[in-house]
């Protein structure tokens, strides 16, 4: 028998089986139960993490905040002594004492009844006050104008007992909105050159403003080596061409006057009609009012 024949016999049909056939699929084999996987612990990493936790200096447990307590730098700013930023410098220098003990810790909390001594004087914090005045003519923010012109503080004398100051300066001929507060942080915020709040002025000139000059102002100009960006300038509808509306971010009224004097116009009057979203609505000339809570929030978010 050759190999080919032997192979053919082996590959022939099988004899029928005596077991009954079934078309049902075989059930899937269940996986063998396995125990929980062992997690390898990197002892070196764990030791390093433990060392880091243990090496943290002065790690005190967090304590619940006491009612009416306030940060030391804010307490100092509320008293009108200086801004929060400057208060931090004084605290670091060791010139601030709480209950007779020098405090240099940033974020120190002052509790009700604590006595704070700042640079040799005991501080009394004041509640923040925000007052809006519609300033009339012949009042000035300067303190050295003599007796010819009165200071604007006379106009808000009965508004509060707190020590307040004006935000920005106004000369005797400038009228309109002027903000007063004892919030030194806000005063500093709105007098910085980088502040972003818009002010709108109505400017009266000695003659009509030429359209080409209006276009030049609108594009911005350089005064005394400083670039002045004007947000908007336009003629006031229904008025002569000498009545101009000007919108810019600077709180310095001198900048408004300098813009038009740069083009050889004499400025007769300047009236600030809007300050950082505040307007003269329902506020007659010479009158003042307290800001609402929402207005205060808006100013802080500018």
């Amino acid at each position: 028998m050759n190999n080919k024949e032997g192979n053919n016999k082996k590959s022939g049909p099988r004899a029928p089986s005596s077991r009954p056939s079934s078309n049902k699929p075989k059930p899937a084999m269940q996986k063998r139960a396995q125990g929980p996987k062992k997690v390898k612990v990197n002892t070196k990493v764990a030791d390093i993490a433990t060392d880091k936790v243990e090496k943290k200096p002065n790690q005190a447990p967090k304590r619940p905040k006491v009612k009416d307590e306030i940060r030391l730098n804010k307490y100092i700013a509320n008293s009108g002594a200086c801004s929060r930023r400057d208060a931090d410098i004084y605290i670091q220098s060791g010139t601030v004492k709480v209950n007779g003990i020098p405090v240099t810790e940033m974020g120190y909390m002052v509790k009700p009844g604590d006595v704070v001594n700042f640079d040799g004087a005991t501080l009394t914090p004041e509640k923040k006050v925000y007052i809006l005045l519609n300033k009339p003519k012949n009042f000035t923010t300067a303190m050295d104008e003599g007796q010819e012109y009165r200071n604007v503080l006379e106009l808000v004398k009965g508004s509060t007992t707190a020590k307040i100051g004006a935000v920005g300066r106004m000369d005797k001929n400038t009228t309109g909105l002027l903000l007063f507060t004892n919030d030194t942080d806000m005063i500093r915020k709105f007098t910085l050159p980088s502040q972003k709040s818009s002010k709108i002025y109505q400017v009266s000139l000695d003659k009509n403003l030429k359209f080409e000059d209006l276009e030049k102002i609108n594009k911005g100009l350089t005064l005394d080596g400083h670039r002045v960006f004007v947000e908007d300038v336009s003629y006031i509808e229904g008025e002569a061409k000498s009545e101009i509306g000007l919108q810019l971010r600077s709180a310095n009224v001198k900048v408004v006057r300098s813009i038009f004097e740069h083009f050889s116009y004499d400025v007769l009057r300047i009236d600030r009609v809007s300050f950082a979203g505040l307007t003269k609505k329902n506020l007659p000339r010479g009158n003042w009012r307290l800001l609402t809570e929402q207005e205060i929030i808006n100013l802080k978010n500018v």
Side-chain angles (χ1 to χ4, degrees):
M1 182 184 296
N2 59 25
N3 291 337
K4 188 175 287 188
E5 290 177 354
N7 291 341
N8 289 339
K9 286 185 179 180
K10 287 181 183 179
S11 60
R14 290 185 179 181
S17 176
S18 58
R19 288 182 298 176
S21 61
S22 173
N23 293 329
K24 291 183 180 180
K26 294 182 180 180
M29 292 182 64
Q30 294 183 351
K31 291 184 179 179
R32 187 171 57 183
Q34 297 179 353
K37 292 184 179 179
K38 293 183 180 180
V39 179
K40 292 184 179 180
V41 179
N42 192 334
T43 55
K44 290 184 179 181
V45 175
D47 292 341
I48 294 171
T50 306
D51 291 341
K52 285 183 179 179
V53 173
E54 291 176 354
K55 288 180 180 179
K56 283 186 179 179
N58 303 326
Q59 190 176 19
K62 291 184 178 181
R63 61 176 179 83
K65 186 176 180 180
V66 179
K67 184 181 179 182
D68 296 331
E69 70 178 359
I70 183 174
R71 282 182 176 268
L72 180 56
N73 62 352
K74 186 176 181 181
Y75 185 100
I76 295 171
N78 287 357
S79 69
C82 63
S83 67
R84 285 198 201 184
R85 184 176 296 180
D86 291 337
D88 287 336
I89 298 173
Y90 279 99
I91 293 170
Q92 290 177 325
S93 68
T95 58
V96 179
K97 296 180 180 180
V98 179
N99 301 325
I101 302 173
V103 174
T104 57
E105 175 190 344
M106 306 309 295
Y108 182 89
M109 304 300 288
V110 178
K111 297 180 287 296
D114 285 347
V115 178
V116 179
N117 188 279
F118 175 83
D119 203 21
T122 301
L123 300 182
T124 304
E126 296 178 321
K127 182 182 178 181
K128 289 292 183 289
V129 179
Y130 305 88
I131 299 165
L132 187 65
L133 170 72
N134 188 350
K135 177 189 168 300
K137 286 184 65 174
N138 298 327
F139 285 85
T140 176
T141 55
M143 303 298 292
D144 55 354
E145 290 286 342
Q147 297 181 352
E148 183 180 359
Y149 301 106
R150 293 183 291 175
N151 190 274
V152 289
L153 288 173
E154 295 181 30
L155 298 169
V156 292
K157 190 174 182 180
S159 60
T160 180
T161 57
K163 186 179 179 181
I164 58 176
V167 178
R169 296 181 178 181
M170 273 193 177
D171 58 35
K172 61 182 178 64
N173 291 323
T174 304
T175 60
L177 297 179
L178 183 60
L179 183 64
F180 294 85
T181 182
N182 58 345
D183 187 340
T184 53
D185 287 332
M186 183 169 289
I187 292 176
R188 181 178 179 275
K189 172 182 177 178
F190 283 105
T191 52
L192 285 173
S194 59
Q195 57 85 38
K196 299 179 180 180
S197 63
S198 294
K199 290 88 180 172
I200 301 176
Y201 300 88
Q202 181 173 342
V203 184
S204 301
L205 305 177
D206 63 327
K207 55 187 175 183
N208 292 345
L209 178 66
K210 296 178 182 178
F211 182 76
E212 53 265 33
D213 291 337
L214 184 144
E215 288 291 297
K216 292 176 182 177
I217 294 172
N218 195 40
K219 293 178 181 178
L221 63 157
T222 302
L223 299 174
D224 299 327
H226 298 283
R227 185 69 177 170
V228 178
F229 295 97
V230 176
E231 294 181 330
D232 191 23
V233 59
S234 62
Y235 300 112
I236 296 178
E237 188 176 352
E239 300 284 346
K241 300 295 184 183
S242 59
E243 296 295 322
I244 309 300
L246 180 70
Q247 179 176 334
L248 70 167
R249 292 179 179 177
S250 176
N252 190 347
V253 179
K254 288 184 178 180
V255 174
V256 178
R257 189 177 299 276
S258 297
I259 288 174
F260 294 98
E261 289 178 347
H262 180 77
F263 294 96
S264 301
Y265 295 91
D266 289 333
V267 178
L268 305 179
R269 287 179 301 276
I270 300 175
D271 186 37
R272 184 189 283 161
V273 298
S274 175
F275 179 92
L278 302 172
T279 67
K280 298 192 297 180
K281 184 179 179 180
N282 300 325
L283 189 62
R285 188 83 73 199
N287 289 25
W288 59 266
R289 68 172 178 84
L290 296 173
L291 296 190
T292 65
E293 289 297 326
Q294 187 58 53
E295 287 174 331
I296 296 170
I297 293 172
N298 293 343
L299 285 181
K300 290 181 177 180
N301 291 333
V302 169

